[in-house]
């Protein structure tokens, strides 16, 4: 009752201040700005929105702009503050958020919680941009957050200094109606083969959020390293976290650091999906606790890149006590609904043992309140329709999962692996699945790939394995620009995608990427826009 009252009174106050604001603007002598004709539909938005209707005028973003948000709706004020911070970084103007006194304003960005049925989908949003206001409507803060990425993308890199006495960033007017095609839009980072710092992961999250990704899957363990603190099994990180591919020092996240990553992603409405890869890819765990080992050899720290030689002892109860502890500790600090158990390339686990393991581990994951994800091999086991198959290589395994009514995350190695080289001259990466140039990465259809029905597809994920990369610059070389294309494959419908149109919008990402200090691969297929921040070398290939 009190809640409703305070909600009503706050809404009333907000309306009142808006009315006062509008009246003031009318009373004030209004600047007349003659905007040159704009075209909202020609803006370089990625992923491309569902519908864009231009009205050809301009909204002046300048020192007289303010942001107002639905203060009573959870998370909306934070979204407004996030936008203000990004506007400051791009334009150096301070845009106030929800200020009380009536300022000398001319334009307002209003981030509004709306219960309209048109916005029923969690991440849907609508933008109405006119000369005086930008109204962003969304049902949830998540939808509003996706919407402000669109606003960020249509703020020009440079101001116009001739339209008025002050600097103006002209935002084209019109209407945008938008909603993602797939609910899961992810990237994966392998921090096991090479470790990446919290700071590196945050930078990657920041870049992905700009392109409306909503999930980052962290491949936390493999033969070469165990990267997450497990308090009940401390040697995992002490021993198993001490190396990485190539013999460098390795590293791991404490649970506090992992929570810090989760909070950072959460502020960007992104989920972290933790992966503990098992029963294969477990050498680092078995070196730390040899009782877990099932391949009959004495485990030793491993700094090479071969796969498929390790396995847990899948018939030992100790292994399941271990898995229970690990899942319990990680599930307790992971707010998202998913837990990824790996399950790939268990070449030295007998098939029956593999199936027994996956079925038993599924129950453990469920007991700790999570939905199991596993690489497509898990489709061979008798598991629930609520578990998710992560398609990377085997159509047969993925279709077996479809038969069980399971959802599929699409990461076919031939199309979606960010660690595949662009071509034979690429400085980093592998090519066991394919060379994946920037156009190949974009021009396939997750909607109808290898007979997997669209109704089973949860979304698309772009995995970045790290055998050949050991720092953020090398990560950026493989991930960008291809990760930008995958954002469009999972958000935008097939009818709305077109390589010729996309490649122009991609070329225009250069000023943003340069400003963010991203060392992307300057693919020769793209006519990259020059920017004042440029320091990238154009390659000759
Ligand atoms: C296959 S994809 C793997 C990884 C490697 C990757 C290299 C998958 C489920 N397993 O262990 O890092 O290839 O491209």
């Amino acid at each position: 009752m009190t809640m409703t009252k305070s909600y009503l009174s706050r809404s009333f106050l907000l309306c009142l201040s808006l009315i006062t604001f509008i009246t003031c603007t009318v009373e004030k002598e209004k600047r007349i700005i003659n905007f040159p004709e704009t075209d909202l539909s020609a803006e370089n938005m990625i992923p491309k929105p569902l519908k864009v209707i231009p009205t050809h005028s301009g909204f002046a973003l300048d020192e007289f702009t303010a942001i107002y948000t639905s203060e009573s709706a959870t998370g909306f004020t934070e979204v407004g503050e996030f936008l203000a911070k990004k506007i400051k970084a791009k334009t150096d103007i301070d845009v106030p958020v929800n200020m009380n006194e009536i300022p000398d304003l001319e334009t307002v960005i209003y981030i509004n919680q709306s219960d309209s049925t048109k916005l029923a989908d969690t991440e849907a949003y609508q933008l109405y941009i006119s000369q005086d206001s930008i109204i962003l409507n969304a049902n949830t803060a998540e939808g509003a957050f996706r919407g402000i990425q669109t606003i960020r993308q249509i703020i020009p890199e440079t101001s116009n200094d001739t339209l008025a006495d002050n600097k103006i960033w002209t935002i084209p007017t019109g209407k945008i109606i938008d909603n993602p095609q797939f609910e899961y839009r992810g990237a994966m980072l392998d921090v096991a083969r090479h470790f990446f710092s919290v700071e590196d992961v945050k930078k990657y999250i920041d870049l992905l959020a700009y392109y409306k990704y909503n999930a980052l899957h962290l491949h936390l363990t493999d033969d070469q390293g165990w990267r997450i603190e497990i308090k009940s099994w401390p040697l995992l990180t002490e021993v198993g976290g001490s190396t990485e591919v190539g013999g460098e020092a390795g590293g791991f996240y404490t649970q506090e650091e992992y929570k810090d990553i989760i909070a950072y992603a959460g502020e960007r409405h992104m989920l972290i999906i933790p992966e503990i890869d098992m029963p294969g890819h477990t050498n680092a765990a078995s070196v730390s606790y040899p009782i877990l080992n099932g391949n009959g050899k004495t485990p030793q720290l491993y700094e090479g890149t071969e796969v498929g030689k390790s396995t847990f002892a899948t018939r030992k109860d100790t292994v399941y006590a271990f898995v229970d502890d690990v899942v319990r500790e990680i599930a307790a600090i992971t707010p998202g609904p998913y837990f990824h158990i790996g399950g790939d390339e268990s070449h030295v686990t007998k098939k029956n043992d593999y199936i027994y393991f996956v079925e038993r581990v599924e129950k453990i994951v469920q007991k700790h309140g999570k939905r199991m994800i596993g690489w497509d091999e898990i489709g061979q086991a008798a598991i629930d329709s609520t578990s998710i198959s992560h398609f990377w290589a085997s159509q047969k395994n993925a279709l077996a999962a479809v038969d069980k009514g399971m959802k599929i995350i699409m990461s076919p190695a031939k199309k979606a692996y960010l660690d595949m080289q662009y071509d034979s001259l690429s400085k980093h990466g592998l090519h066991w699945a394919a060379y994946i140039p920037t156009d190949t990465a974009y021009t396939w259809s997750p909607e109808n790939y290898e007979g997997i029905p669209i109704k089973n597809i949860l979304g698309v994920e772009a995995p970045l394995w790290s055998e050949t990369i050991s720092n953020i610059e090398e990560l950026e070389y493989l991930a960008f620009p291809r990760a930008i294309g995958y954002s469009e494959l999972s958000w935008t419908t097939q009818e709305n995608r077109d390589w010729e149109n996309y490649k122009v919008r991609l070329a225009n990402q250069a000023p943003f990427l340069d400003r963010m200090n991203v060392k992307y691969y300057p693919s020769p297929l793209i006519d990259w826009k020059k920017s004042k921040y440029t320091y990238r070398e154009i390659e000759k290939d």
Side-chain angles (χ1 to χ4, degrees):
M1 185 62 184
T2 5
M3 281 273 290
T4 328
K5 255 196 201 157
S6 83
Y7 173 80
L8 285 177
S9 64
R10 268 199 260 169
S11 309
F12 176 73
L13 278 178
L14 189 65
C15 290
L16 200 67
S17 53
L18 267 181
I19 292 166
T20 330
F21 154 69
I22 291 161
T23 329
C24 288
T25 338
V26 172
E27 277 170 8
K28 213 177 101 190
E29 209 180 308
K30 202 167 184 299
R31 279 186 307 178
I32 306 290
I33 301 172
N34 290 315
F35 292 103
E37 188 165 301
T38 64
D39 184 359
L40 186 60
S41 64
E43 285 295 306
N44 299 299
M45 294 173 269
I46 300 180
K48 194 179 174 111
L50 199 58
K51 236 186 233 166
V52 180
I53 303 146
T55 51
H56 308 293
S57 185
F59 169 96
L61 172 69
D62 63 8
E63 63 200 86
F64 307 115
T65 304
I67 295 174
Y68 285 93
T69 70
S70 295
E71 285 182 83
S72 55
T74 318
F76 276 65
T77 300
E78 288 79 355
V79 171
E81 281 160 359
F82 189 93
L83 178 61
K85 237 182 9 200
K86 296 300 177 186
I87 291 176
K88 171 78 179 168
K90 189 166 185 175
T91 63
D92 203 34
I93 43 182
D94 290 295
V95 180
V97 181
N98 296 336
M99 65 173 163
N100 284 328
E101 76 272 25
I102 302 306
D104 193 16
L105 290 181
E106 297 226 328
T107 55
V108 64
I109 300 173
Y110 188 56
I111 304 177
N112 177 43
Q113 197 278 332
S114 157
D115 290 326
S116 158
T117 49
K118 288 190 192 127
L119 292 162
D121 290 342
T122 320
E123 293 181 281
Y125 70 91
Q126 296 190 348
L127 270 173
Y128 298 86
I129 308 165
S130 64
Q131 284 204 7
D132 301 324
S133 66
I134 295 181
I135 299 171
L136 166 59
N137 285 334
N139 186 274
T140 65
E142 203 176 337
F145 189 79
R146 305 299 168 231
I148 64 162
Q149 306 318 311
T150 304
I151 297 178
R152 288 174 69 192
Q153 293 186 2
I154 57 179
I155 298 172
E157 281 293 330
T158 46
S159 60
N160 186 320
D161 302 344
T162 56
L163 280 176
D165 295 339
N166 61 320
K167 290 181 173 187
I168 284 180
W169 283 258
T170 306
I171 297 180
T173 57
K175 178 174 171 182
I176 294 177
I177 298 170
D178 205 7
N179 192 23
Q181 163 165 238
F182 293 120
E183 71 175 74
Y184 184 97
R185 303 178 308 280
M188 185 212 84
L189 181 61
D190 172 6
V191 295
R193 270 52 176 275
H194 279 102
F195 182 64
F196 289 85
S197 67
V198 172
E199 199 190 324
D200 290 343
V201 174
K202 285 183 177 174
K203 183 176 181 192
Y204 198 31
I205 288 173
D206 248 339
L207 294 165
L208 295 168
Y210 185 73
Y211 295 106
K212 302 191 175 77
Y213 276 80
N214 65 4
L216 177 65
H217 160 194
L218 290 176
H219 182 76
L220 290 165
T221 66
D222 213 301
D223 289 327
Q224 299 87 345
W226 184 284
R227 310 293 179 210
I228 174 87
E229 174 190 21
I230 302 296
K231 293 188 196 284
S232 52
W233 297 75
L235 297 183
L236 289 169
T237 42
E238 205 174 298
V239 176
S242 65
T243 50
E244 59 184 18
V245 167
E248 288 140 280
F252 66 91
Y253 307 122
T254 63
Q255 292 198 359
E256 285 310 307
E257 287 169 329
Y258 175 76
K259 284 197 259 180
D260 182 33
I261 292 175
I262 287 189
Y264 193 83
E267 284 160 17
R268 284 146 189 81
H269 294 273
M270 276 172 78
L271 285 180
I272 295 296
I273 319 295
E275 178 188 350
I276 301 297
D277 199 354
M278 39 192 183
H281 291 269
T282 43
N283 180 69
S286 291
V287 185
S288 312
Y289 293 99
I291 193 166
L292 303 170
N293 187 33
N295 74 1
K297 299 185 185 142
T298 307
Q300 288 177 346
L301 288 169
Y302 183 60
E303 294 158 355
T305 58
E306 281 173 44
V307 296
K309 298 203 284 197
S310 56
T311 182
F312 276 160
T314 53
R315 299 284 169 170
K316 258 192 206 163
D317 283 342
T318 319
V319 166
Y320 298 96
F322 167 83
V323 172
D324 196 289
D325 284 338
V326 171
V327 177
R328 174 177 49 76
E329 287 198 29
I330 296 176
I333 54 174
T334 306
Y338 307 116
F339 190 99
H340 202 306
I341 66 145
D344 57 316
E345 301 173 316
S346 276
H347 301 324
V348 296
T349 320
K350 290 201 189 85
K351 188 168 174 184
N352 281 345
D353 292 347
Y354 175 83
I355 288 172
Y356 174 79
F357 180 85
V358 171
E359 291 170 3
R360 226 171 132 173
V361 170
E362 182 192 49
K363 298 287 167 289
I364 296 174
V365 170
Q366 291 173 345
K367 181 178 105 186
H368 292 294
K370 301 292 176 193
R371 224 174 135 177
M372 181 175 82
I373 307 178
W375 295 105
D376 61 43
E377 287 94 326
I378 66 161
Q380 302 168 92
I383 47 180
D384 273 10
S385 59
T386 52
S387 290
I388 295 161
S389 159
H390 195 164
F391 174 48
W392 68 284
S394 164
Q395 180 193 32
K396 189 166 159 240
N397 287 337
L399 291 177
V402 168
D403 282 345
K404 297 186 214 327
M406 292 166 62
K407 293 275 187 208
I408 313 285
I409 295 172
M410 298 293 288
S411 295
K414 285 183 274 188
K415 301 291 183 187
Y417 265 28
L418 286 169
D419 66 315
M420 291 300 114
Q421 291 175 296
Y422 293 91
D423 58 32
S424 61
L425 299 171
S426 291
K427 285 191 273 191
H428 312 287
L430 304 168
H431 57 262
W432 64 264
Y435 290 114
I436 309 185
T438 308
D439 52 350
T440 306
Y442 180 82
T443 53
W444 61 288
S445 303
E447 295 89 347
N448 38 42
Y449 190 79
E450 296 197 355
I452 296 164
I454 189 166
K455 67 172 182 14
N456 289 78
I457 298 174
L458 192 66
V460 181
E461 179 178 301
L464 180 47
W465 302 97
S466 64
E467 287 94 332
T468 66
I469 55 169
S470 60
N471 59 49
I472 184 83
E473 290 178 10
E474 294 168 358
L475 178 164
E476 288 165 0
Y477 172 90
L478 286 176
F480 295 98
R482 290 178 294 193
I484 300 174
Y486 298 130
S487 81
E488 185 147 306
L489 286 188
S490 55
W491 180 286
T492 309
T493 53
Q494 203 173 353
E495 318 79 83
N496 245 342
R497 299 196 304 261
D498 169 67
W499 165 252
E500 291 303 323
N501 174 285
Y502 169 73
K503 85 184 209 198
V504 176
R505 286 180 287 126
L506 179 58
N508 283 291
Q509 302 304 304
F512 168 72
L513 295 171
D514 289 337
R515 184 159 57 80
M516 298 298 283
N517 196 13
V518 175
K519 296 246 169 57
Y520 61 94
Y521 164 64
S523 162
L525 301 172
I526 307 298
D527 184 14
W528 296 103
K529 182 174 173 173
K530 292 204 173 40
S531 74
K532 62 179 178 184
Y533 309 98
T534 272
Y535 63 94
R536 91 201 105 93
E537 46 180 296
I538 301 292
E539 298 198 346
K540 302 229 159 34
D541 51 348

